[in-house]
Every structure is written in C-alpha cells, then in structure tokens.
Amino acid sequence: MTNAVRTPASPHTPADLPARIQHYIDGSFVDSIDGDTFGVLDPVTNEVYVRAAAGKRADIDLAVAAATKAFTEGPWPRMLPRERSRILHRIADIVESRDARLAELESFDSGLPITQALGQARRAAENFRFFADLVVAQVDDTYKVPGKQINYVNRKPIGVAGLITPWNTPFMLESWKLGPALATGNTVVLKPAEFTPLSASLWAGIFEEAGLPHGVFNLVNGLGEEAGDALVKHPGVPLISFTGESRTGQLIFENAAPSLKGLSMELGGKSPAVVFADADLEAAIDATIFGVFSLNGERCTAGSRILVERSIYDEFVERYAAQAKRVVVGYPHDPATEVGTLVHPEHYDKVMSYVELGKTEGRLVAGGGRPEGFDGGNFVAPTVFADVKPDARIFQEEIFGPVVAITPFDTEAEALALANGVRYGLAAYVWTNDLKRAHTFAQAVEAGMVWLNSNNVRDLRTPFGGVKASGLGHEGGYRSIDFYTDQQAVHINLGPAHNPTFGKQEPS
C-alpha cells in the first residue's frame, strides 16, 4: 500500500506577495547597506519567488544602535507593566484577526500543511497574550526579618535582546521569544531563518499598528554565518536567545563567551516514545504517528525513536506502518494535507540521505522515498524503519523529517537505557497504564520534558528546554521572565546599624 496523496492541478501561490523583503530598523524598511540580497525558494517548486535583503555586520550595527537608543532614551523600558501589557494584547488581537493570511504565507514559505500553519498562527497570538498577562500578574520575592530588615527583589530589563529563530514554524517561534522579551521592557533585534523570512516581515506592520515605539523592534534578514554571527558577537547585545540545531548552538556558545552574554538555547532532539505492553495501543499509535509526522517531521520534540515492548512489538509495527501509509501527503495549501513539503532542497537532500542510510540499518516498512504523484519539490513519504539497532545512525542522529525508527525492548531497564542512549535530551513520551512505572520512568529518563500518555501538549506556564546536547537554560512562564530580566536584591535596614567595628580609636 502506498502513501495517500493529494494532487491538485497546480501548486498555490498567495496573492499580493511582496516584491522584495527588507530589513526593518528604527521604524523604517531598509535595504542592506551593501545592497546584497539572497533568493527565497518556494519549497513546492524550489524556484526563487522573492529576494530578501542580506544583512551583514554593518546592518546589525545599525539595528543594535537603534535598539540601544530605544532602550536608553525611549519610553518602552520605563512604561508600567500594565501599559506594555495593553500593547501586547493589541498585538495578539491583530495576529488573531489575520490568522488566515499569516497561515497562508507561512504554509507557502515553509511547506507546512495549511491546517497546521493556522494552528501555529493562533498559538503565536496566545504567546503574546500569555506574557501580557504574566508581566502584570507577576510577584517578586520579599524576605522579612521582623524589626530588623526587609529584603526584596527588583526586576529590571537588561537591554537589547538578540533573537535568532529557526525555519520550522517560524512565526510562532518568533512570538515565543518576542513576547517575553518585549513584555519585560527590553528592546530586540530579530534575525529570522534565511529559508523562511516571509512571515517575519509581517511583524513590523503588526507592531506599528499596535503602537510599539520605533526602535523597540528591529529585524535584520541574512545568513546565519553573516548576520547571525554578527548579532551574537556584538558587544552591545547582552542577551542571545537561539532555537536551532546543536552544532550551531555550540558555535554561538563559543562566540558569546568573550562578552559573557546571557544565553538561552533550545537545540536539537532525538526524543524517545516508549510504549509498554499495558498501554492503550490505539492511542499510542495515533499519538506517535502525529508526534513524528506533524509539521512534516520538522519539529525539535518529534518522537522519532519509538521503543516498544517486545510482546506487542509485531502488532505495533504492523499497525503503525499501515497507518503511516495512510498519512496524506499533498500540497501545503490543501486542507486535506497532513504532510506537506520539506522547507528547502538542502534539507530535503539531508533527509533523503538518512532514508537511504536507513535501508541499510533497519527494515523498511513504510515510505522510503518520494511519494507517488510528486516528481518535483521537497516531498518525502512518511518513512518507517523497524528493527533498528541502538548504534544505528538513524537511531542516534537527528533527521528532522518524516522518518521514524522503531526498536524493541524486553525490560523496563532496557527501555530506559535505550531512551537515554543518545546525546540529546529534549523530550520523551511514555505510554503505560501503570501509574507507578510512569512516574518512576519519567524521573529517570534524561529529558527536559516528559509527556505521560499524551502527545506534545504544553501549558505555557511550564518550563521548555532540554538537557545534554538539547539545550542550555529554559524558557516558558517565569523562566522566560527570569532570562529577560536582571534580578536585583535590595536590602533595607529597619533598626540601628549593626556593623562590626574595625580600627576604632580608643578614647583618650
């Protein structure tokens, strides 16, 4: 049985695409100082549909200067939290009112299925609304010593935050950083991924309409090794928040070290989904199908290693493969599409190289190549390998596409060793009806986040981040507030000063 496909007569191009994509610095759209541009590809045709300004160090310098002036001289850091909150709520309202257009552009630019892109646009609005509320409701610690001393914590915005965002669900992930950075009174320079700059270009108009002062938000497009590198190394940027792959995170860590910058980095993942024999098998299959094939498999928290107890292993593999073959591959704009196109031909070639490797490292039970009916573009059929050994590269390395490896285990101890036996530690999923085992296993697994009998559904108040090679620090809820603020302890004496006396002269 081959994968289900949807083949409309032709790909879809949104109306009113911009003629070019520029930087946005100090309230104005501008070209690069040297005039350089780069081509942005439609992932369905792999043809250049627009050119974007290619920022360099000089462009980053201008953006940082504008953000610095807005921070030191402008009203934004000095507004009451409630005043900033009102503007953030207006931003959320505007994003919600334009969710269909945002989703259309995001889907076209990234290859995400339109229904999933719509969900990401709505989540972006919710990110702003959440931090708009949190910054007003937040409380800080006060410590009292009755009659002697009061100590309290004063939070202050830090300055210019450098935000570097990835190409998977770009608009939503930009909101995830912009929301708390702005809510806490910082100014920002955003460097979006070069593969997907289209939706990021909409932020400027949204912010202007909402009343954000000029200079608070600045955007510089460009390549990571040029614009991104310049932002990380800039001495006027004390904070860098980065989402992307682990090797880039290592370079950022190295380049930020001389300035001792604050870093928050959510990096790669190779997350296990552990299915025990007592699990609800139908729910586990549905969740693990969704967990690796949604967002085209281009998700950091994808459960791309499925570990299955041997007594149900054969049944699981058979049912999983059959359902994977029914996943609908199609053009991103088609509402029936469940897996669209990968973002870029470079990434398509990477994923396909792992597919070919997997044919030597496991038993191919679904997919394994380009789906029928799609001779061009970056389409990959949902691909499932069974009987994958733990030393296989498709077990160990992040593929970041619609490819999954299934491996059997016999004991809980073996399952835990397999789950922890990679360099990553972002997420884990555990399926069992044994409550004691669920909690014990969750605490033993090396992952920043664990879902028990659930797919990736996250409360915005909880911390998001990984361990090992999957990241540095956590964001989400108060962890984001912590990252984007300096916490100053203020100590107040309430009684007579009680100081040790050094060198006091004896009375004569």
Side-chain angles (χ1 to χ4, degrees):
M1 182 178 180
T2 58
N3 280 92
V5 297
R6 297 279 296 186
T7 53
S10 62
H12 169 74
T13 300
D16 302 320
L17 287 175
R20 57 180 174 161
I21 294 177
Q22 297 175 287
H23 311 308
Y24 181 77
I25 299 175
D26 202 15
S28 298
F29 288 99
V30 295
D31 293 323
S32 292
I33 290 174
D34 64 3
D36 195 13
T37 63
F38 62 92
V40 184
L41 303 184
D42 167 4
V44 170
T45 65
N46 285 331
E47 295 177 355
V48 174
Y49 75 89
V50 72
R51 298 199 69 81
K56 309 287 196 323
R57 183 173 301 278
D59 305 291
I60 290 292
D61 286 344
L62 281 181
V64 173
T68 301
K69 182 178 180 181
F71 184 78
T72 57
E73 301 177 17
W76 188 250
R78 282 158 280 281
M79 285 183 179
L80 294 173
R82 175 66 70 185
E83 295 177 298
R84 291 198 298 268
S85 176
R86 291 192 184 101
I87 292 177
L88 265 63
H89 273 295
R90 285 201 289 270
I91 292 168
D93 291 341
I94 295 168
V95 171
E96 282 182 346
S97 71
R98 298 176 188 171
D99 59 356
R101 175 62 171 173
L102 287 167
E104 181 186 33
L105 296 182
E106 188 90 312
S107 177
F108 172 75
D109 198 30
S110 69
L112 283 178
I114 185 66
T115 54
Q116 296 169 40
L118 184 60
Q120 297 298 313
R122 292 169 179 166
R123 183 61 176 261
E126 181 58 24
N127 284 335
F128 271 92
R129 206 171 297 289
F130 174 82
F131 285 107
D133 291 338
L134 186 63
V135 76
V136 173
Q138 77 174 35
V139 293
D140 289 310
D141 296 323
T142 301
Y143 308 93
K144 301 176 182 178
V145 181
K148 293 185 177 181
Q149 194 176 58
I150 292 177
N151 312 273
Y152 67 88
V153 175
N154 180 39
R155 289 182 183 271
K156 300 189 291 185
I158 296 174
V160 179
L163 312 179
I164 303 176
T165 51
W167 44 256
N168 63 317
T169 64
F171 192 81
M172 190 281 289
L173 289 174
E174 288 153 9
S175 74
W176 198 336
K177 300 179 187 299
L178 288 165
L182 296 176
T184 48
N186 297 282
T187 58
V188 303
V189 177
L190 170 66
K191 207 298 285 185
E194 56 264 33
F195 287 173
T196 54
L198 182 59
S199 60
S201 68
L202 302 177
W203 283 118
I206 293 170
F207 288 153
E208 286 190 1
E209 188 173 337
L212 191 72
H214 287 171
V216 173
F217 168 76
N218 304 273
L219 182 151
V220 178
N221 295 290
L223 306 183
E225 57 267 30
E226 295 175 341
D229 184 68
L231 183 59
V232 168
K233 292 177 178 176
H234 199 290
V237 179
L239 291 174
I240 295 291
S241 178
F242 168 75
T243 299
E245 56 97 19
S246 297
R247 177 57 189 150
T248 305
Q250 290 175 305
L251 291 174
I252 289 174
F253 192 98
E254 178 181 345
N255 290 332
S259 300
L260 296 176
K261 296 179 187 290
L263 292 177
S264 177
M265 297 195 291
E266 190 264 289
L267 306 177
K270 191 70 175 178
S271 300
V274 185
V275 183
F276 288 94
D278 66 340
D280 180 334
L281 197 56
E282 183 174 357
I285 290 172
D286 281 345
T288 50
I289 287 277
F290 178 83
V292 74
F293 298 133
S294 59
L295 306 182
N296 302 338
E298 298 166 323
R299 60 185 306 161
C300 54
T301 55
S304 54
R305 295 182 297 135
I306 305 178
L307 313 177
V308 183
E309 194 164 359
R310 195 175 299 276
S311 62
I312 61 167
Y313 181 77
D314 290 340
E315 179 186 0
F316 183 94
V317 170
E318 181 180 357
R319 291 176 59 178
Y320 191 95
Q323 189 160 329
K325 292 173 183 177
R326 295 193 295 269
V327 172
V328 178
V329 180
Y331 287 120
H333 73 281
D334 188 339
T337 293
E338 294 170 329
V339 170
T341 63
L342 299 187
V343 68
H344 192 276
E346 288 181 15
H347 186 57
Y348 171 84
D349 289 343
K350 173 195 168 185
V351 171
M352 287 303 297
S353 72
Y354 277 107
V355 170
E356 293 306 310
L357 176 65
K359 294 174 182 178
T360 71
E361 293 188 329
R363 174 166 57 96
L364 179 66
V365 294
R370 183 181 288 277
E372 293 181 8
F374 294 94
D375 297 328
N378 306 318
F379 293 93
V380 177
T383 297
V384 182
F385 293 103
D387 309 340
V388 179
K389 302 296 184 184
D391 60 350
R393 286 182 60 195
I394 63 168
F395 186 97
Q396 291 288 331
E397 299 175 14
E398 184 178 40
I399 299 173
F400 218 64
V403 182
V404 65
I406 308 179
T407 300
F409 67 86
D410 291 297
T411 67
E412 185 175 330
E414 183 186 4
L416 183 63
L418 289 169
N420 291 342
V422 298
R423 63 191 292 256
Y424 299 102
L426 186 57
Y429 307 85
V430 182
W431 290 87
T432 178
N433 282 320
D434 185 325
L435 182 63
K436 179 180 178 181
R437 175 165 58 195
H439 288 287
T440 302
F441 196 96
Q443 292 177 36
V445 74
E446 295 169 350
M449 299 167 288
V450 183
W451 280 269
L452 302 179
N453 297 322
S454 170
N455 61 21
N456 191 332
V457 178
R458 179 178 160 263
D459 189 304
L460 291 177
R461 293 170 294 183
T462 61
F464 187 101
V467 298
K468 301 196 293 190
S470 287
L472 177 70
H474 288 77
E475 297 188 28
Y478 279 110
R479 284 78 177 178
S480 292
I481 302 297
D482 287 343
F483 176 69
Y484 289 106
T485 57
D486 279 328
Q487 299 172 55
Q488 179 188 62
V490 180
H491 307 271
I492 306 168
N493 187 40
L494 298 179
H498 180 71
N499 300 320
T501 301
F502 277 27
K504 187 174 183 179
Q505 185 177 9
E506 287 286 343
S508 57

